[in-house]
Amino acid sequence: MTTDPQTDRRTGPTSARIRVGIDVGGTFTDAVAVDATSLELLGQVKVPTSHHHEDGVAHGIVEALDQLLTRTGRAPEDVTFLAHGTTQATNALLEGDVATVGLVGIGSGAGAQFTRRLASFGKLELVPGKHLPLAYAHVADPSDPAAVEAAVAAVADAGAQAVVATEPFAVDAPDGEDAVAAAARLRGLPTTAAHEITSLYGLHKRTRTAVVNAAILPRMLATADLVDASITKAGVTAPLMVMRCDGGVMSLDEMRRRPLLTVLSGPAAGVAGALMQERISEGLFLETGGTSTDISVVRGGKVAVRYATMLGRTSYLSALDVRTVGVGGGSMVRIGGGAVTAVGPRSAHIAGLPYACFAAEEDLRDATLALISPMAGDPADYAVLDAAGGRFAVTMTCAANALGRVPEGDFARSDPRTAQAAIAPVAKALGVDVAAAATLILDAGVAQVRSVVAAMAKDYRLDQESAVLVGGGGGAASVTPHLAAVTGYEGRIARHSEVISPIGVALALIREQVERIVPGARQEQILAVRAEAEQAVVAQGAAAESVEVEVTVDPQTSTVRAVATGATELRTQDRSHRASADDLLATAATSLRTAPDRVEVLAGTAAHTVYGTEVHKRFRGVRHPVRVIDADGIVRLHVPDAKVATTTAGEAPQALARLVEESTSFGDGGVRAPALRLLIGSRIADLSGVLDPQPLLALARNELRSRAAEEPVVAVVEVRS
């Protein structure tokens, strides 16, 4: 279906409405425009990041947006979603460029001893030789306005540019922290109350997380105000969103409250792009730049998240679990003893040398191999070519092009003949042919990446039979194809890999996480945490009908966690490219590692089809692996052994009660309800994080509460071992 964009901008693949994602990097600011209906990339621009402009990075954001609208022929009012990701907070911490924090501890008696010890945060080392600037004051009785005012005045007089209020058990009784925060705000000081950052217990960790938030607060507030004003002046009416470190976006107001959530958001943008564009269900995403590769995990269609380490200590910041290896497309080859000894960590970019494979063919004439120290203190074993056109670095990208690993049209593609000419002097020194030399280079380069991939696959129990490696970033072709070849994983390079991060920003969903310590949590308490998370994303602009909430209850720590995600609009995508029944069956058979005639359609909704087969395993009996595939042919869920049942929303409560009772296991670890997922409408409601049968059934009823009685519901029930 097509429609005239001048007569109907809301439907059809030619809609003028666009989603804009802007990724502010250390060197360049990249922006993309994505069609709001088909989600296809319409245009991209790259401008230098404006660190030194009087408006800071805000100037580059607006410049990129202006160029993008010009290039795509769109007007500011066509922008229906606008978000940006920034490394500003991360860089501030890495460089030690933070505000002085005034920490006001609250408490009397024994509690005062704990808060007074927090003054030691002034010893936290930001960078070698530079410590966190911190002033401490104490309030015994926060209900005494004079005492509160005196403490705030003391830290202000000591140079505090932002204030943190902290008190033991304030997550349960926040009045004291609120009183100090109110007094600080009256003075015009940006303020963080520790209970606003997290509702988890642990005074030391909670306060440290709040202190880091406050340290970057003034700078981030200034940038937020400049960007907001500039976007409004440019005529964009869509609310501005900001990338979070867990793969979602948040409103600008939420960023003003918790700028800490933007720390480590750079890698999160890339994996968000892979998740939304490439629709990874199970696998690893490798974002490769010129110098390094960031590796992250997608499991069950969700990014792997854990508490981040900041300033050498764990925090209550939930961030993407990303592990970085110092190997990228520009990593230089190292040679010793007639062999390739390593690749990197020094890159051609840092050494100030061009890649040999991108040279003109005549520039490589009479090339000879030399070994150098790229930077002072480096070992003199980095390979370069001295040729007619000057000095060139031999890199991973050169080897990948020489072997034909870089596909046509890729950002890193060079003339294969030039790449082979670049590798030839190395091959001569090693006593092998060009193909063998290029293979040795790539083997050495991906060795470090391979070990990290193996460790993460083990940590998250990825199934190698169904997991995929997806490469993103400008250097993707130098790592991912060869890694897939040597590990046996299925591998591919993401479409538009060089701008996968801004694509991730453009496609990201609003996200919020709520955590509570609730010993012996009852179902009404669990539902209350769920409702709080759902309301939080709606308040930030998510369409209520689009919100999905995943709830996890950890009986060991008594933690109830709800993660809500939602889109700013309900999108009706172009359905012309949807997969046929034969294509869906073939995809299921490939994922299940069996022949199509051994695959059975078990159930389905308008949005998803459930496929299964039967597998006989020695010593493990019969298993029934299941795959849930959406209408685009993407595997959205794979379960190694499950029961599948079809019911209706009206009959589901009774049917699910029977299924849960039949599939609940009992053992030394206590009662363990099955991992339950429900296919309802266009959604997969994942309830697998709840182990107690009664709260599980309460959450299931909550998912069904607004559905028509006759609407079909499919339950995928996985018995826990």
Side-chain angles (χ1 to χ4, degrees):
M1 179 188 73
T2 60
T3 56
D4 183 351
Q6 298 303 315
T7 59
D8 185 357
R9 291 188 172 187
R10 294 186 177 274
T11 60
T14 58
S15 167
R17 298 164 70 241
I18 59 173
R19 298 172 67 88
V20 173
I22 302 174
D23 183 52
V24 183
T27 304
F28 291 103
T29 294
D30 290 295
V32 299
V34 174
D35 187 284
T37 300
S38 68
L39 304 187
E40 291 300 314
L41 180 66
L42 300 176
Q44 62 192 73
V45 299
K46 182 188 294 285
V47 302
T49 297
S50 51
H51 294 293
H52 304 298
H53 190 275
E54 61 181 359
D55 289 340
V57 298
H59 176 76
I61 291 173
V62 176
E63 183 182 0
L65 175 63
D66 182 61
Q67 290 189 23
L68 187 67
L69 293 176
T70 299
R71 182 166 297 182
T72 57
R74 305 301 168 96
E77 57 268 25
D78 293 328
V79 179
T80 186
F81 177 91
L82 173 63
H84 80 278
T86 175
T87 59
Q88 189 174 23
T90 304
N91 292 343
L93 292 175
L94 290 175
E95 297 165 8
D97 187 11
V98 298
T100 299
V101 177
L103 176 59
V104 178
I106 305 166
S108 58
Q113 298 178 24
F114 293 107
T115 51
R116 290 184 189 279
R117 291 174 187 169
L118 301 176
S120 64
F121 288 154
K123 299 178 182 178
L124 288 174
E125 192 171 52
L126 298 170
V127 294
K130 186 172 184 178
H131 296 84
L132 179 72
L134 183 137
Y136 181 84
H138 195 85
V139 175
D141 181 7
S143 64
D144 180 353
V148 170
E149 175 60 31
V152 173
V155 295
D157 292 344
Q161 299 162 283
V163 172
V164 170
T166 187
E167 182 178 15
F169 305 108
V171 295
D172 297 322
D175 292 352
E177 289 187 0
D178 288 341
V180 172
R185 287 171 181 140
L186 282 175
R187 284 178 166 262
L189 289 169
T191 303
T192 298
H195 75 271
E196 295 174 339
I197 297 298
T198 176
S199 294
L200 298 180
Y201 296 134
L203 177 67
H204 198 271
K205 185 183 293 187
R206 179 162 49 89
T207 305
R208 186 173 63 248
T209 307
V211 164
V212 175
N213 186 76
I216 59 175
L217 197 52
R219 169 181 282 201
M220 297 300 289
L221 285 174
T223 297
D225 291 343
L226 281 169
V227 174
D228 193 22
S230 299
I231 295 299
T232 301
K233 185 178 179 181
V236 175
T237 57
L240 179 63
M241 298 285 170
V242 184
M243 195 74 200
R244 294 165 52 114
C245 54
D246 55 12
V249 292
M250 58 184 167
S251 68
L252 195 63
D253 284 342
E254 191 59 33
M255 194 279 276
R256 288 186 172 105
R257 190 169 74 90
R258 293 184 292 171
L260 183 67
L261 291 174
T262 68
V263 173
L264 307 176
S265 63
V271 74
L275 192 64
M276 299 295 289
Q277 176 185 273
E278 299 297 316
R279 307 289 293 278
I280 307 173
S281 175
E282 190 100 346
L284 297 108
F285 176 66
L286 301 95
E287 186 165 16
T288 303
T291 304
S292 62
T293 296
D294 292 328
I295 307 165
S296 47
V297 167
V298 175
R299 191 169 187 269
K302 301 178 181 67
V303 296
V305 172
R306 65 177 180 179
Y307 290 133
T309 297
M310 294 186 301
L311 306 183
R313 303 284 194 282
T314 58
S315 69
Y316 278 139
L317 175 67
S318 291
L320 184 76
D321 182 3
V322 59
R323 305 181 195 179
T324 301
V325 178
V327 173
S331 294
M332 296 173 65
V333 179
R334 298 170 66 180
I335 295 175
V340 176
T341 58
V343 174
R346 195 65 71 203
S347 70
H349 310 81
I350 301 300
L353 295 173
Y355 293 24
C357 59
F358 294 135
E361 194 170 353
E362 59 271 18
D363 286 341
L364 291 184
R365 183 169 41 84
D366 301 326
T368 59
L369 182 68
L371 301 179
I372 67 164
S373 300
M375 305 290 287
D378 287 345
D381 60 358
Y382 285 85
V384 296
L385 302 182
D386 287 325
R391 174 166 283 182
F392 301 91
V394 182
T395 67
M396 286 280 286
T397 299
C398 297
N401 275 291
L403 274 186
R405 298 276 196 211
V406 186
E408 193 75 43
D410 190 272
F411 181 77
R413 173 85 172 186
S414 76
D415 185 331
R417 293 175 302 176
T418 304
Q420 290 161 9
I423 298 298
V426 176
K428 182 178 180 181
L430 300 179
V432 297
D433 61 24
V434 167
T439 300
L440 290 171
I441 291 169
L442 294 181
D443 284 345
V446 304
Q448 300 175 58
V449 182
R450 184 177 184 176
S451 64
V452 173
V453 163
M456 296 187 82
K458 181 179 179 181
D459 289 348
Y460 289 97
R461 300 180 181 178
L462 296 183
D463 179 4
Q464 184 167 349
E465 291 186 352
S466 53
V468 298
L469 302 178
V470 176
S478 66
V479 171
T480 299
H482 192 73
L483 181 64
V486 299
T487 59
Y489 279 100
E490 178 189 343
R492 67 175 184 267
I493 298 173
R495 289 174 295 139
H496 316 297
S497 61
E498 74 280 7
V499 288
I500 195 68
S501 287
I503 288 174
V505 176
L507 299 181
L509 300 174
I510 298 175
R511 180 179 171 114
E512 187 56 82
Q513 175 173 299
V514 175
E515 294 179 300
R516 295 282 183 271
I517 300 293
V518 188
R522 300 184 303 277
Q523 61 188 47
E524 60 268 22
Q525 294 170 307
I526 296 171
L527 288 171
V529 175
R530 183 200 182 281
E532 184 178 348
E534 181 177 17
Q535 291 163 9
V537 295
V538 171
Q540 293 182 60
E545 303 91 330
S546 74
V547 177
E548 298 184 14
V549 186
E550 179 184 359
V551 177
T552 303
V553 181
D554 186 340
Q556 292 184 325
T557 62
S558 299
T559 303
V560 180
R561 178 181 299 109
V563 178
T565 55
T568 55
E569 58 182 340
L570 291 176
R571 299 191 298 267
T572 303
Q573 294 186 34
D574 173 22
R575 296 177 179 268
S576 62
H577 65 288
R578 299 244 157 146
S580 67
D582 288 343
D583 290 336
L584 294 175
L585 179 62
T587 298
T590 300
S591 180
L592 290 164
R593 306 284 177 169
T594 191
D597 61 5
R598 298 195 67 247
V599 176
E600 182 182 357
V601 176
L602 303 177
T605 64
H608 299 96
T609 307
V610 185
Y611 296 88
T613 190
E614 187 173 280
V615 177
H616 295 263
K617 292 282 189 180
R618 179 181 288 187
F619 308 121
R620 295 173 62 183
V622 179
R623 293 192 306 151
H624 297 89
V626 165
R627 302 292 185 264
V628 177
I629 302 180
D630 68 15
D632 292 326
I634 307 300
V635 178
R636 295 292 307 278
L637 176 68
H638 51 87
V639 182
D641 192 15
K643 300 176 185 177
V644 177
T646 300
T647 181
T648 64
E651 297 175 352
Q654 295 76 24
L656 292 175
R658 289 193 301 271
L659 281 168
V660 169
E661 182 180 4
E662 293 169 1
S663 305
T664 296
S665 58
F666 302 85
D668 294 339
V671 178
R672 294 171 64 83
L676 176 65
R677 287 94 169 180
L678 299 178
L679 277 60
I680 314 169
S682 61
R683 298 171 49 211
I684 300 176
D686 189 344
L687 309 179
S688 61
V690 182
L691 299 176
D692 190 322
Q694 293 310 311
L696 172 63
L697 291 171
L699 285 166
R701 290 193 296 271
N702 191 75
E703 293 288 345
L704 297 165
R705 70 183 188 277
S706 61
R707 300 289 175 172
E710 67 277 7
E711 183 174 351
V713 175
V714 177
V716 180
V717 183
E718 179 184 4
V719 178
R720 302 183 200 267
S721 58

